[in-house]
Amino acid sequence: MASCAAPGRHLTSMEAAPEIEGVESEPPRREEEERTPVPVPPWREQLTARGLAAALLIGFVYTVIVMKLMLGAGLVPTLNVSPALLAFLALRGWTRALARLGVACRPFTRQENTVVQTCAVACYSVALCGFGSFLLGLNTRTYQLSGVNTPGNVPGSTKEPGVAWITAFLLTISFGGLLTLIPLRKVLVIDYKLTYPSGTATAVLINGFHTPQGDKNAQKQVRGFLKYFGISFLWSFFQWFYSGGDVCGFVQFPTFGLQAWKQSFFFDFSLTYVGAGMICSHLVNLSTLFGAILSWGILWPLISRRKGDWYPADVPESSMTSLYGYKSFLCIALIMGDGIYHFAKVLGVTAMSLHERSQRKLADEDKAAVADDEPWRDKVFNRDTIPAWLAYAGYALLSLVAVVTIPKMFRQVRWYYVIVAYAFAPVLGFSNSYGAGLTDINMGYSYGKVGLFIFAAWAGRDDGVVAGLVGCGLVKQLVLISADLMHDFKTAHLTLTSPRSMLAAQAVGTAMGCVVAPITFLLFYRAFDVGNPDGYWKAPYALIYRNMAILGVEGFSALPRHCLSLSAGFFAFALLANVTRDVLPRRHGRYVPQPTAMAVPFLVGASFAIDMVVGSVVVFAWHWIDGEEAALLVPAVASGLICGDGIWTFPSSLLSLAKIKPPICMKFTPGS
């Protein structure tokens, strides 16, 4: 995540390849069946009440999971496979149950499956909208962690989380991105024939479900999901009994000894991150472990020895003028170096591709690439048009609403900041969507960081932190959602789903998420110690984003002693690592560490990296024993582990709010 989750999402967008491999490893579909035009239900029949109910339930489940990941380590893997599987499970089971009871009901189609998956993903994707980064970066605790005496971190630059204002803010900024590129959907999906790998992978998965062989495979995946969901949930429930105090329970088990435990090197039995490691690539998992060893094993012990020389000896270690300042800014340097490189790379790829198309060099290749069933898919995709005037009018209206409401929520954000963001959003959205169609990398988070620095510097010292954080969220959301919608339109094109029903599903799912996500976040926020750098709920990206805003206001004067030199070195390392990976042959470049994945443990610690490497080991061993079974079941089993552990967080938070504490504290101390 690294998310960006957000931070996390930036990482996961690059993890589409393993999912595509897993899908394509399934037995091939019958080509004759796929190429024979079949009746396609009208768009209103694709959007059903039972489907929306299933999407709301799935969206809520994954909102809880995403919130746990965002407020924990901040790393969120790609989860799009399991919502499609759960949608298939829920609605296929519903229709079969009614059929056995003799109740007539509408058949369950791939189009309805696609709509439910899109709506559910749109719902839980709202949870990635800054709850662990810029929104949490506005609270008082993050302000204090950044240092109350830090230049640029001025008093009054805070806003405590609340359901009402967060919901209003999300409703204001989350719908504009859905309308920016609607007039260009045919150009991007049909004329340019962009692949949108994640959208294509989802379509292949859903199409595979709705064939005889795919139905059998789906049943195997469902059994695997439910089995490991139960194991994960029961294991989390069992662990809870032993966590009745500070630094207690299996999550603090000193696997490699107490000395290693003090440096956060231990296996904490978190099946959430084991499952995340099974979904993420081996490169990402090993990069997090490398980052953990480099930071907690080497750098932080060495810098700690300079206490009293490089930084004051009489300030707490959590202060930004102490060791925590180095942790924060070196992490930012890696993330920014990685982000800037990919930002420039995707822009370059986009510009080159557009130039080639303008010269019509790809015309012959495009004609040759047309599949037998392509005209039929194009006809279905173009059948239900969405009027361009409606998109333009809606975007103008939403822009006006944002210009009026956002400055009222945040006095530091001027109305003309909002106008600038909405004016540039369509251009940035097209560039991002085109690049995502080529590379599968959604750079919305990188655009958001650019907006953060611009608005923070523009607003000045007194208003810069809040203006930068809010501007970051506004730009990110506008640009990110437009690319997500294009992925969905690609899925719709390949599953013969109406673009109208997909747009409606996105809008309804987003509206659901704008209500579900703030309530879920406030439940976590009040039940747990969110933002504590020494606890489980570290939410590292809140502090990272606030410090980036301070950096945008004050420049390098905000850095501790020698931190600028170290940050410059890590920034250069991030650029060099990416260049090396792209220049070397693939068989060698795949061993170059991923900088953003390396950066996450700098603040969070090493334990989650160990969990993820365990996930990698499980996947590696499973592929070695039975590669075909692993390709089919790994996504389902991993999703079951994540969901079971994640769902337990909901009842445990209710127990915490009810002041019901675990009865036992299992703690480890040195022997006498």
Side-chain angles (χ1 to χ4, degrees):
M1 75 136 188
S3 138
C4 272
R9 189 97 170 206
H10 170 67
L11 277 183
T12 59
S13 65
M14 296 158 57
E15 300 310 314
E19 289 189 21
I20 296 174
E21 291 174 6
V23 171
E24 292 181 344
S25 65
E26 296 178 2
R29 302 186 307 272
R30 292 181 298 179
E31 296 298 326
E32 297 81 0
E33 179 181 332
E34 288 298 314
R35 292 181 179 179
T36 301
V38 294
V40 178
W43 73 273
R44 288 185 179 86
E45 294 183 8
Q46 299 173 18
L47 197 68
T48 62
R50 68 186 184 189
L52 295 180
L56 177 59
L57 178 60
I58 296 170
F60 168 72
V61 169
Y62 279 87
T63 296
V64 173
I65 294 165
V66 167
M67 205 67 72
K68 177 180 180 179
L69 292 168
M70 285 295 300
L71 299 180
L75 181 65
V76 182
T78 300
L79 299 171
N80 290 10
V81 169
S82 48
L85 178 63
L86 290 180
F88 178 82
L89 167 65
L91 295 182
R92 177 58 62 86
W94 173 257
T95 54
R96 286 183 174 176
L98 290 180
R100 288 175 182 174
L101 294 174
V103 179
C105 64
R106 179 180 294 139
F108 177 47
T109 64
R110 70 186 66 193
Q111 289 78 23
E112 187 178 5
N113 200 159
T114 303
V115 167
V116 174
Q117 190 266 352
T118 298
C119 188
V121 172
C123 178
Y124 79 71
S125 293
V126 177
L128 293 164
C129 181
F131 287 96
S133 55
F134 73 89
L135 286 175
L136 190 59
L138 291 167
N139 79 336
T140 302
R141 167 172 262 177
T142 310
Y143 160 74
Q144 293 171 344
L145 285 173
S146 294
V148 294
N149 297 320
T150 301
N153 192 37
V154 298
S157 59
T158 60
K159 192 174 182 70
E160 284 299 307
V163 171
W165 77 260
I166 292 178
T167 301
F169 180 67
L170 293 176
L171 289 171
T172 301
I173 69 172
S174 296
F175 292 93
L178 295 178
L179 301 175
T180 52
L181 298 182
I182 284 178
L184 297 176
R185 63 183 178 84
K186 178 179 177 295
V187 174
L188 293 171
V189 175
I190 296 178
D191 296 343
Y192 285 177
K193 292 182 172 58
L194 298 178
T195 56
Y196 289 102
S198 290
T200 299
T202 303
V204 170
L205 183 72
I206 292 174
N207 283 334
F209 286 159
H210 295 269
T211 61
Q213 182 60 44
D215 196 5
K216 294 178 182 178
N217 290 337
Q219 291 176 14
K220 294 179 182 178
Q221 291 175 317
V222 166
R223 285 195 294 268
F225 174 87
L226 294 176
K227 176 181 177 180
Y228 286 92
F229 174 90
I231 291 173
S232 181
F233 184 87
L234 292 175
W235 172 244
S236 299
F237 176 55
F238 174 75
Q239 287 189 84
W240 177 80
F241 285 96
Y242 297 89
S243 58
D246 296 331
V247 198
C248 294
F250 287 91
V251 294
Q252 299 291 338
F253 193 90
T255 320
F256 309 112
L258 289 172
Q259 199 62 36
W261 173 82
K262 291 179 181 178
Q263 295 298 325
S264 75
F265 284 94
F266 57 92
F267 178 60
D268 64 5
F269 294 91
S270 172
L271 297 185
T272 291
Y273 290 111
V274 173
M278 293 175 68
I279 293 176
C280 290
S281 70
H282 298 315
L283 173 63
V284 168
N285 297 332
L286 293 176
S287 295
T288 60
L289 182 61
F290 176 62
I293 294 171
L294 178 63
S295 56
W296 291 89
I298 301 174
L299 278 176
W300 307 156
L302 290 177
I303 294 176
S304 296
R305 296 178 184 175
R306 311 304 299 177
K307 187 175 183 178
D309 180 13
W310 285 17
Y311 59 91
D314 57 349
V315 297
E317 201 170 273
S318 60
S319 170
M320 289 305 298
T321 59
S322 183
L323 179 62
Y324 205 73
Y326 294 91
K327 295 179 182 179
S328 179
F329 284 107
L330 295 187
C331 177
I332 290 172
L334 279 175
I335 292 172
M336 291 304 300
D338 193 26
I340 287 173
Y341 176 83
H342 282 99
F343 184 77
K345 176 183 174 181
V346 172
L347 283 181
V349 171
T350 301
M352 290 174 58
S353 179
L354 288 173
H355 175 70
E356 289 175 351
R357 289 186 182 279
S358 69
Q359 301 296 321
R360 299 189 179 279
K361 292 181 180 179
L362 301 180
D364 293 337
E365 295 176 14
D366 285 347
K367 291 178 182 178
V370 174
D372 293 343
D373 57 355
E374 200 72 13
W376 172 245
R377 296 186 188 279
D378 293 348
K379 180 180 178 181
V380 173
F381 189 76
N382 290 322
R383 186 173 61 187
D384 294 325
T385 59
I386 303 171
W389 67 266
L390 183 63
Y392 297 141
Y395 188 75
L397 179 62
L398 291 172
S399 302
L400 180 61
V401 171
V403 169
V404 173
T405 57
I406 292 179
K408 290 185 180 296
M409 296 181 194
F410 308 95
R411 61 171 181 79
Q412 297 89 343
V413 180
R414 304 291 186 263
W415 59 270
Y416 44 87
Y417 298 172
V418 182
I419 290 179
V420 169
Y422 272 86
F424 281 96
V427 177
L428 300 178
F430 175 80
S431 174
N432 185 44
S433 297
Y434 190 92
L438 293 172
T439 65
D440 204 36
I441 302 175
N442 192 333
M443 299 301 295
Y445 294 97
S446 295
Y447 283 102
K449 290 171 191 168
V450 172
L452 184 151
F453 283 110
I454 291 174
F455 287 118
W458 190 1
R461 172 173 291 191
D462 292 337
D463 299 334
V465 170
V466 175
L469 291 172
V470 175
C472 166
L474 180 59
V475 172
K476 177 194 75 69
Q477 199 71 349
L478 287 170
V479 175
L480 190 78
I481 289 181
S482 60
D484 286 344
L485 184 62
M486 286 301 131
H487 277 285
D488 292 334
F489 279 153
K490 183 65 177 182
T491 303
H493 180 252
L494 295 175
T495 58
L496 302 176
T497 306
S498 168
R500 283 189 185 179
S501 63
M502 294 295 279
L503 179 62
Q506 267 278 357
V508 172
T510 300
M512 291 176 179
C514 290
V515 176
V516 171
I519 295 173
T520 306
F521 171 72
L522 264 295
L523 179 64
F524 277 76
Y525 191 74
R526 291 172 181 170
F528 305 118
D529 191 18
V530 174
N532 181 1
D534 298 320
Y536 180 84
W537 305 96
K538 294 180 176 65
Y541 283 95
L543 185 60
I544 290 172
Y545 271 64
R546 188 174 186 94
N547 284 335
M548 284 195 290
I550 294 172
L551 201 61
V553 173
E554 293 294 325
F556 296 122
S557 62
L559 300 179
R561 187 182 180 188
H562 297 300
C563 192
L564 176 59
S565 302
L566 290 171
S567 298
F570 276 88
F571 182 88
F573 169 80
L575 294 177
L576 182 62
N578 281 295
V579 171
T580 303
R581 186 186 306 110
D582 288 343
V583 170
L584 288 177
R586 182 175 177 83
R587 64 181 183 276
H588 300 307
R590 62 181 180 174
Y591 296 111
V592 178
Q594 212 280 340
T596 299
M598 284 179 55
V600 177
F602 277 44
L603 282 178
V604 176
S607 60
F608 95 97
I610 294 172
D611 296 339
M612 295 189 68
V613 170
V614 169
S616 257
V617 172
V618 170
V619 172
F620 180 82
W622 199 347
H623 274 280
W624 184 61
I625 296 170
D626 190 339
E628 185 176 344
E629 182 185 65
L632 178 65
L633 294 181
V634 160
V637 169
S639 299
L641 293 175
I642 294 171
C643 291
D645 190 23
I647 288 300
W648 167 249
T649 308
F650 183 68
S652 70
S653 63
L654 296 179
L655 291 172
S656 177
L657 291 174
K659 308 299 182 184
I660 300 175
K661 296 183 178 180
I664 304 170
C665 174
M666 184 175 70
K667 184 179 291 187
F668 298 88
T669 59
S672 57

